[in-house]
Amino acid sequence: MVTDGAGFRLADRDPGATSGVPGKAEGRAEVAELTRRMRHLQERFYADGRHRLLVVLQGMDTSGKSGAIRRAFAGLNPAGVRVTSFRTPTDDELARDFLWRVHRHVPRDGEIALFDRSHYEDVVAVRVRGLVPPERWRARYEHIRAFERMLVDEGTIVRKFFLHISREEQATRLRARLEDPRKHWKFRRSDLEDRDRWDDYQAAYEDAIRETATPEAPWVIVPADRKWHRDLVICRTIVDTLERLDLRYPEAEEDLSGVVVV
Ligand code: AMP
Ligand code: MG
């Protein structure tokens, strides 16, 4: 977990790391156990209704953002979860400031919001593709810090995950998409253009993490070449975050001891 971006270097992090877990079988077993715990914690989180959790997922194409939503969060009751995927902005969104489309999807009391991409695209993809002048995206780091600080001050817990894959693993996954007709819908030619600018993306992510990692809104760098390890790190972080809260079932509004259902 990165709580202070000073000196952070993405190149120091190994995308193939496994946190000392011997292998996939052990990793998946722990994920299954954590998924059960997350389910119970979420029920209390929802009933308690005093907290909100925002989970941001970022990473290169094929890094496993949607796989993580499907598997690491598999135990959650959909009634308390809100998933938002941020795609290329519409004209209507581009006609406003970059946070306009994001803010309306933050979680309400008792909710967990999962962002598949986020406002970080506005300092990463936007920067690499040169969509706005450098002064514009550079100023956004401060706006993002202020925005996230405001969310935290108002009662939202913020956890940001960078799904870190290697360039080789991305090649394997893109080839798999090309070879399997059932995966063709996920493939876009523009993914290859982004892949050509791999180093620029890594640099842009590194700067974004350096500029916006804080104790209140930390980044978790997730070694994601192994899918089970990606899910394990996310599950451990979310379960730990929820366990630190003093979650309680609210008191009934009145004394129910004499109430009988006939
Ligand atoms: P996917 O996640 O595969 O559906 O792709 C979504 C695409 O939208 C990615 O290429 C993102 O980089 C792009 N995208 C998302 N948000 C923005 C943004 N604010 N500005 C430019 N491109 C974006
Ligand atoms: Mg894609």
Side-chain angles (χ1 to χ4, degrees):
M1 191 177 277
V2 185
T3 56
D4 174 359
F8 172 75
R9 286 179 33 138
L10 201 46
D12 294 342
R13 306 298 181 113
D14 175 10
T18 53
S19 308
V21 179
K24 181 174 176 175
E26 291 83 356
R28 282 278 166 230
E30 190 180 334
V31 167
E33 168 55 22
L34 288 166
T35 300
R36 272 192 293 279
R37 267 158 70 192
M38 205 191 293
R39 175 181 303 140
H40 295 300
L41 285 161
Q42 185 214 5
E43 193 193 307
R44 273 158 58 209
F45 183 88
Y46 185 73
D48 182 307
R50 291 174 303 150
H51 307 278
R52 317 159 188 157
L53 174 61
L54 172 61
V55 176
V56 170
L57 298 170
Q58 285 288 158
M60 299 293 289
D61 287 307
T62 77
S63 62
K65 299 179 290 296
S66 51
I69 292 171
R70 195 169 62 243
R71 303 197 73 163
F73 296 95
L76 300 186
N77 176 351
V81 185
R82 227 162 120 75
V83 181
T84 310
S85 299
F86 291 96
R87 302 260 157 73
T88 310
T90 62
D91 288 346
D92 207 35
E93 290 167 345
L94 285 173
R96 271 102 175 177
D97 66 88
F98 76 105
L99 290 172
W100 180 77
R101 69 170 184 162
V102 176
H103 197 176
R104 54 196 291 262
H105 295 291
V106 299
R108 51 173 291 152
D109 287 345
E111 252 183 1
I112 299 177
L114 306 179
F115 281 6
D116 174 351
R117 305 186 188 269
S118 65
H119 43 293
Y120 284 97
E121 295 293 322
D122 297 283
V123 287
V124 175
V126 164
R127 162 179 166 177
V128 174
R129 298 178 197 152
L131 302 178
V132 304
E135 319 76 84
R136 269 282 273 300
W137 57 256
R138 268 197 210 107
R140 289 177 175 173
Y141 296 130
E142 176 51 25
H143 299 313
I144 291 174
R145 285 193 294 267
F147 173 60
E148 292 178 355
R149 201 182 322 122
M150 181 278 290
L151 292 177
V152 171
D153 287 348
E154 293 282 325
T156 304
I157 301 155
V158 178
R159 290 290 178 271
K160 303 175 290 193
F161 294 91
F162 176 67
L163 308 189
H164 188 29
I165 56 165
S166 62
R167 197 163 187 273
E168 298 69 47
E169 180 62 20
Q170 190 193 48
T172 305
R173 293 184 187 182
L174 285 173
R175 279 185 208 116
R177 285 182 181 183
L178 283 174
E179 282 157 19
D180 183 350
R182 287 169 306 179
K183 291 184 177 171
H184 283 175
W185 64 276
K186 292 197 216 178
F187 187 87
R188 281 198 222 110
R189 229 165 244 285
S190 64
D191 294 351
L192 295 181
E193 287 160 28
D194 286 341
R195 178 173 169 75
D196 281 341
R197 296 183 208 145
W198 183 270
D199 292 342
D200 294 342
Y201 270 99
Q202 297 293 301
Y205 268 117
E206 181 172 272
D207 285 344
I209 292 163
R210 271 190 198 165
E211 292 280 351
T212 64
T214 63
E216 314 77 50
W219 275 101
V220 178
I221 312 304
V222 183
D225 271 1
R226 291 179 177 80
K227 294 173 183 176
W228 60 264
H229 185 260
R230 167 201 77 201
D231 296 338
L232 182 60
V233 171
I234 294 172
C235 282
R236 281 181 177 173
T237 308
I238 299 296
V239 166
D240 181 65
T241 301
L242 295 176
E243 276 178 346
R244 281 164 198 272
L245 301 172
D246 168 34
L247 299 175
R248 297 185 246 125
Y249 288 103
E251 301 285 324
E253 282 173 23
E254 50 173 314
D255 179 11
L256 299 176
S257 56
V259 179
V260 180
V261 179
V262 291

